[in-house]
Amino acid sequence: MTGRSGKFAGENPFEIARSWMAEAEAAELNDPNAIALSTVDADGLPNARMVLLKDIEDNAFVFYTNYESQKAQELDHAGKAAFVMHWKSLRRQVRARGIITREDGVQADQYYASRSLKSRLGAWASKQSRPLKSRATLMAEVAKVTATKGVNPPRPPFWGGFRLTPLEIEFWADGDHRLHDRFQWRRATPDAEWTITRLNP
């Protein structure tokens, strides 16, 4: 018996995550959907950066990036990743780690089309993670792309989504005297049942 109630109550961790996200959207000043995404390179050296989570699906978390970026190369190589979402205003966080797959279809097209025109053109112009001579060089590339791609650019073939299907999710809430509440959801495979364990702070 884990004694889950209140903000931890529920039989589906993705519903809990969506509920917490909705609260964060009302309370957090900037980017409530920001996650610190962790990957490892081919040598096993860890890497981390902030990205924006764009969807909490029924069985996974989705974000988007340039497929030629360092993060994408690390995601493709390892096939696994982890992230943490921390909301200072709520004094809560969600951690997840699991299996990575690409979202490179209609859903990626729809999300790309929903972005502002400048963001869509910027996705074409930026050679993410690679050396850049100057900001002027980047802006010249944006101008070139604007002239060639027009006002309705298609999604670049090198840009799309990644889906993290978790094998582990942890919900954490701040407690008095650093006696925090932590509940870990674990499963052996994406199709397995969850096991829920209350953890020491």
Side-chain angles (χ1 to χ4, degrees), residues 21-98:
M21 178 70 79
E23 289 184 64
E25 287 170 348
E28 201 77 4
L29 289 176
N30 295 301
D31 297 328
N33 60 330
I35 61 175
L37 177 70
S38 296
T39 57
V40 293
D41 67 15
D43 296 321
L45 189 65
N47 217 337
R49 79 289 286 159
M50 303 303 294
V51 301
L52 297 180
L53 183 69
K54 289 301 179 180
D55 197 12
I56 301 176
E57 299 179 333
D58 290 340
N59 200 39
F61 300 90
V62 181
F63 56 92
Y64 293 85
T65 192
N66 184 313
Y67 286 146
E68 296 175 353
S69 66
Q70 184 173 353
K71 86 171 78 63
Q73 291 173 27
E74 292 171 356
L75 289 166
D76 283 335
H77 179 266
K80 299 172 185 172
F83 73 75
V84 60
M85 256 185 302
H86 176 253
W87 299 296
K88 189 173 182 179
S89 59
L90 299 179
R91 300 171 74 176
R92 294 184 213 169
Q93 68 181 24
V94 177
R95 296 171 58 210
R97 57 183 185 156

Side-chain angles (χ1 to χ4, degrees), residues 64-136:
Y64 293 85
T65 192
N66 184 313
Y67 286 146
E68 296 175 353
S69 66
Q70 184 173 353
K71 86 171 78 63
Q73 291 173 27
E74 292 171 356
L75 289 166
D76 283 335
H77 179 266
K80 299 172 185 172
F83 73 75
V84 60
M85 256 185 302
H86 176 253
W87 299 296
K88 189 173 182 179
S89 59
L90 299 179
R91 300 171 74 176
R92 294 184 213 169
Q93 68 181 24
V94 177
R95 296 171 58 210
R97 57 183 185 156
I99 299 165
I100 288 289
T101 54
R102 284 194 180 193
E103 169 46 62
D104 199 23
V106 174
Q107 189 172 324
D109 291 336
Q110 291 173 342
Y111 172 65
Y112 179 79
S114 75
R115 304 176 85 208
S116 72
L117 176 59
K118 288 185 178 180
S119 293
R120 283 178 281 156
L121 293 168
W124 275 101
S126 174
K127 296 175 177 60
Q128 196 172 100
S129 301
R130 281 165 282 179
L132 176 65
K133 182 178 178 182
S134 67
R135 184 159 184 88

Side-chain angles (χ1 to χ4, degrees), residues 144-188:
K144 178 181 172 184
V145 167
T146 301
T148 58
K149 299 296 179 186
V151 295
N152 190 25
R155 178 170 63 90
F158 53 82
W159 190 97
F162 281 102
R163 178 175 284 107
L164 188 151
T165 302
L167 301 177
E168 184 178 303
I169 303 175
E170 182 187 314
F171 296 93
W172 177 102
D174 184 65
D176 292 338
H177 313 295
R178 301 196 64 79
L179 299 177
H180 313 305
D181 288 308
R182 297 174 63 188
F183 290 92
Q184 182 189 72
W185 298 60
R186 296 187 73 181
R187 57 186 179 179

